[in-house]
Amino acid sequence: MHLSALLARRNIPAYVYRLPNGVVVSVFAGLLAHVDRVIWWAIPDLTGTRDKPLTTFAHTTEAAAGRLAEHYDQLRSVPLGELVGKGLITPVAAALLDDNEVHRDVVPV
């Protein structure tokens, strides 16, 4: 099943963008899942213990949907203004849209 459909089953809006260098699924401001041979995303550090976001991945759409749902709930628990004000999220996650990345076979989103 497609990642966006699995997230929709959890009442999480997800938008799919097909880009020249791959597919990105936007789950929440600052939470973009990049789809390649694996599905990977960066998690903003809400605890203040890391210097940068944690990049994580899943090999299946089911696993990605479950973990993205957890991260979505964590981000939604913090006011958007606070997330932006602390620099934890930005409108565009530039690291996920890097033109220098090598993208291969795209899995269903």
Side-chain angles (χ1 to χ4, degrees):
M1 183 170 279
H2 295 270
L3 180 57
S4 57
L6 289 170
L7 290 167
R9 284 184 170 185
R10 297 170 182 262
N11 293 321
I12 298 173
Y15 303 94
V16 178
Y17 300 96
R18 296 187 190 287
L19 304 173
N21 59 348
V23 175
V24 171
V25 179
S26 175
V27 180
F28 186 72
L31 185 57
L32 301 174
H34 177 86
V35 180
D36 201 324
R37 288 187 185 220
V38 297
I39 303 164
W40 58 275
W41 59 97
I43 307 158
D45 179 21
L46 299 177
T47 64
T49 59
R50 293 188 303 270
D51 293 337
K52 59 184 180 178
L54 174 67
T55 301
T56 190
F57 67 94
H59 288 283
T60 67
T61 54
E62 292 81 6
R67 292 174 54 211
L68 281 164
E70 291 174 17
H71 301 305
Y72 174 82
D73 289 340
Q74 291 169 358
L75 285 171
R76 295 280 300 177
S77 70
V78 179
L80 187 58
E82 185 178 328
L83 291 171
V84 174
K86 289 183 175 180
L88 296 174
I89 65 169
T90 59
V92 177
L96 294 178
L97 303 176
D98 183 9
D99 290 335
N100 297 320
E101 292 291 327
V102 176
H103 301 282
R104 295 167 291 279
D105 302 351
V106 175
V107 297
V109 293

